[in-house]
């Protein structure tokens, strides 16, 4: 290799953001996310990295471009995610899988994941106030029997040591949930113990840029 | 070639039984959970993060969760790649003195300060560090952070990994490993509990 073809090694591998405009609490608003490690530059993507993204457009998103440094695990993770939250062939309604994801994120303290999945739960259920109550009050919130049971099951599965037990299953079964409904809830809450940790350990959320003030018509 | 499904084996799922049928009702999830496992523990491109180091971290992460359906699996595969009893015993010691409750930690978000909580932050003892080496020690302290207080991660924590020589790709890999295990363990526990409610 001639010197000018050597890869450039950044002097600082890790980037902090002392002046970031950070969220101050849990919110359903759309947030940005900034990485503490450099995403893989698109110019360095090989076929395995594109394959890992599953969706090519994700190369523009720093979170996925960073995870693309390990593309095989990213691909399997992404397909697991899509099936748990998108496969509507029976089982738990999608909005309740999103609720489980939001509840797990609330327990772990992942403000970014909680924002995305609370917003999804609201969009799919139309229950913005109930979802907001989960964000504002936490997983001890009282909403209704079914959501309370799903939220508490998600909480119990998220804490360490694990507190998920037969009483959680019995409560859901008594509310009419099937095996598949319950396993969908388990998968949704469990998966966010994966996603939350990636989001929390590799970067942090930021407030979106303030919307530009609409120009007032001149009179 | 059919690779045995790790979760099925850990849970003792029998072909055609009720849990098998339930898992196979979500075939994409079932197969991609297995592929996730294989991509982490049977990597095509392991980089500097060796398979032995991957299983060492997995042993500690599993033991930090207490008694899980997958702990024996990781113990067995680690023992196959690292036969030194002293290393195994040290990982067990670290797991014992690292065990705490979670998630806990300080919130970065200003209005969540009232929800910040304290807990045990792992520092591996000097004599254990001697046995494990600086690289694995840093991985295990980072894994403990991710298991119990993921909201306290930050650039300084990643810098500790960089300082002992880990690169961005290896940090992504070990982060995926710990995060995946956090999922796999809960999925296994959840399904085992669900099954235990079924009448024989």
């Amino acid at each position: 290799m001639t010197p000018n073809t050597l890869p450039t090694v950044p002097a600082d591998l890790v980037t902090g953001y002392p002046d970031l405009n950070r969220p101050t609490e849990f919110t359903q608003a759309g947030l940005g996310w900034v990485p503490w490690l450099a995403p893989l530059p698109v110019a360095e993507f090989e076929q395995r990295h594109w394959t890992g993204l599953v969706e090519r457009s994700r190369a523009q998103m720093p979170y996925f471009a960073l995870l693309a440094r390990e593309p095989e695990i990213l691909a399997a993770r992404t397909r697991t995610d899509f099936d748990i939250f998108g496969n509507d062939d029976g089982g738990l309604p999608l909005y309740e899988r999103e609720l489980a994801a939001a509840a797990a994120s609330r327990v772990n303290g992942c403000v970014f994941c909680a924002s995305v999945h609370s917003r999804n739960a609201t969009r799919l259920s139309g229950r913005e106030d109930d979802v907001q109550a989960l964000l504002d009050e936490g997983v001890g919130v009282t909403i209704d029997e079914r959501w309370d049971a799903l939220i508490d099951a998600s909480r119990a599965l998220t804490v360490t040591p694990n507190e998920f037990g037969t009483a959680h299953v019995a409560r859901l079964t008594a509310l009419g949930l099937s095996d598949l409904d319950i396993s969908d809830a388990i998968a949704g809450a469990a998966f966010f113990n994966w996603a939350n940790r990636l989001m929390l350990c590799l970067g942090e959320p930021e407030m979106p840029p303030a919307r530009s003030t609409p120009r007032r018509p001149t009179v | 070639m059919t690779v045995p499904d790790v979760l099925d084996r850990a849970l003792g799922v029998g072909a055609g039984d009720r849990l098998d049928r339930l898992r196979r009702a979500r075939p994409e999830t079932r197969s991609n959970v297995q592929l996730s496992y294989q991509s982490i523990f049977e990597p095509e491109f392991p980089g500097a993060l060796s398979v032995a180091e991957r299983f060492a971290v997995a042993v500690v992460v599993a033991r930090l969760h207490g008694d899980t359906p997958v702990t024996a699996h990781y113990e067995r595969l680690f023992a196959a790649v690292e036969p030194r009893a002293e290393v195994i015993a040290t990982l067990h010691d670290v797991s014992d003195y690292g065990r705490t409750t979670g998630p806990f930690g300080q919130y970065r978000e200003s209005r969540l300060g009232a929800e910040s909580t304290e807990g045990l932050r792992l520092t591996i003892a000097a004599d254990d560090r001697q046995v494990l080496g600086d690289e694995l020690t840093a991985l295990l302290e980072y894994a403990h952070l991710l298991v119990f207080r993921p909201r306290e991660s930050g650039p300084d924590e990643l810098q500790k990994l960089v300082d002992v020589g880990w690169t961005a790709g290896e940090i992504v890999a070990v982060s995926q490993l710990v995060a995946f295990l956090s999922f796999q363990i809960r999925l296994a526990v959840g399904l085992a509990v669900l099954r235990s409610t079924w009448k024989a």
Side-chain angles (χ1 to χ4, degrees), chain A residues 41-54:
Chain A
V42 171
E44 294 177 26
F45 271 55
E46 298 170 11
Q47 187 52 50
R48 61 186 277 253
H49 302 112
W50 290 116
T51 303
L53 284 179
V54 181

Side-chain angles (χ1 to χ4, degrees), chain B residues 139-160:
Chain B
L139 294 181
L140 295 176
E141 289 179 348
Y142 178 66
H144 188 274
L145 162 85
L146 265 186
V147 168
F148 288 114
R149 52 187 179 103
R151 63 183 180 246
E152 289 196 349
S153 187
D156 294 350
E157 300 296 337
L158 301 186
Q159 189 62 48
K160 291 178 190 170

Side-chain angles (χ1 to χ4, degrees), chain A residues 24 83 106 157-158 160 197, chain B residues 26 29 102 111 115 146 186:
Chain A
T24 59
D83 194 56
R106 185 66 179 75
L157 203 56
T158 296
T160 305
R197 283 177 173 79
Chain B
R26 292 279 181 253
T29 295
R111 296 183 64 179
E115 292 191 37
L146 265 186
R186 285 166 175 79

Side-chain angles (χ1 to χ4, degrees), chain A residues 23-25 48 73 76 80 83 89-90 97 106 109 157-158 160 166 179 184 191 193-194 197 201 204, chain B residues 18 26 29 32 36 39 45 101-102 107-111 115 142 146-147 153 176 179 182-183 186 196 198:
Chain A
T24 59
E25 60 190 331
R48 61 186 277 253
I73 175 62
T80 305
D83 194 56
D89 182 12
R97 302 183 208 176
R106 185 66 179 75
L157 203 56
T158 296
T160 305
T166 54
D179 285 355
D184 283 345
F191 187 83
N193 280 281
W194 184 351
R197 283 177 173 79
C201 76
E204 60 180 302
Chain B
R18 186 167 167 182
R26 292 279 181 253
T29 295
N32 281 293
S36 299
S39 66
F45 303 93
T101 58
Y107 272 98
R108 189 182 290 116
E109 292 78 13
S110 57
R111 296 183 64 179
E115 292 191 37
Y142 178 66
L146 265 186
V147 168
S153 187
Q176 284 278 21
S182 302
F183 160 75
R186 285 166 175 79
S196 75
W198 296 338

Side-chain angles (χ1 to χ4, degrees), chain B residues 72-114:
Chain B
H73 171 84
Y74 291 110
E75 296 271 10
R76 186 164 51 79
L77 291 188
F78 179 66
V81 288
E82 172 54 88
R84 286 178 292 171
E86 185 187 23
V87 177
I88 295 172
T90 303
L91 293 183
H92 291 181
D93 285 348
V94 167
S95 307
D96 288 344
Y97 64 71
R99 199 164 296 147
T100 182
T101 58
F104 75 87
Q106 301 293 310
Y107 272 98
R108 189 182 290 116
E109 292 78 13
S110 57
R111 296 183 64 179
L112 297 174

Side-chain angles (χ1 to χ4, degrees), chain A residues 53-74:
Chain A
L53 284 179
V54 181
E55 289 180 351
R56 205 175 166 87
S57 61
R58 289 186 160 193
Q60 305 306 320
M61 301 161 83
Y63 175 66
F64 293 109
L66 173 54
L67 295 181
R69 290 183 177 279
E70 290 292 320
E72 290 78 21
I73 175 62
L74 174 59

